[in-house]
Amino acid sequence: MGLMSKWTDGERVAPEPLEGNVVATTVTGTVIWGVLFLAQLPFYGWYADRGHTWWIWTCAAGAGLGLVGIWYVRRREAAIRRSAARSAEDGQTTG
């Protein structure tokens, strides 16, 4: 068998996903995209002359999608907290 078969034959168990502060990570990324967008705006003409305006709009899209991401991860975190609280209540009432 080849070297890659041990990775693809299903014998290896996938590791558990790492949980970090996803809200802070998403906010940081969104801020970076927003700052890049704002920093490039004064040079729009320079980018347009060279056909690189897509750089500016990529940063705008990154910031916009980041805002959606912040909304999503905040709701996810709230749902996880609600689920944990519900599980704790169930454990106290049945235990």
Side-chain angles (χ1 to χ4, degrees):
M1 295 204 136
L3 181 62
M4 281 302 290
S5 64
K6 72 177 184 177
W7 296 99
T8 59
D9 63 4
E11 290 183 22
R12 294 182 62 88
V13 177
E16 290 295 318
L18 296 175
E19 286 293 331
N21 191 343
V22 293
V23 175
T25 303
T26 306
V27 168
T28 301
T30 302
V31 167
I32 290 170
W33 281 116
V35 166
L36 289 171
F37 172 71
L38 293 174
Q40 291 178 12
L41 269 182
F43 305 102
Y44 187 88
W46 185 89
Y47 285 107
D49 292 344
R50 287 155 182 79
H52 294 302
T53 55
W54 65 270
W55 287 13
I56 295 172
W57 301 119
T58 298
C59 294
L65 290 172
L67 292 173
V68 173
I70 291 169
W71 172 80
Y72 177 82
V73 296
R74 289 186 68 201
R75 285 186 52 128
R76 178 181 177 268
E77 291 288 320
I80 290 171
R81 282 193 302 272
R82 281 192 310 270
S83 177
R86 209 173 293 129
S87 294
E89 285 177 5
D90 291 345
Q92 289 176 355
T93 57
T94 59

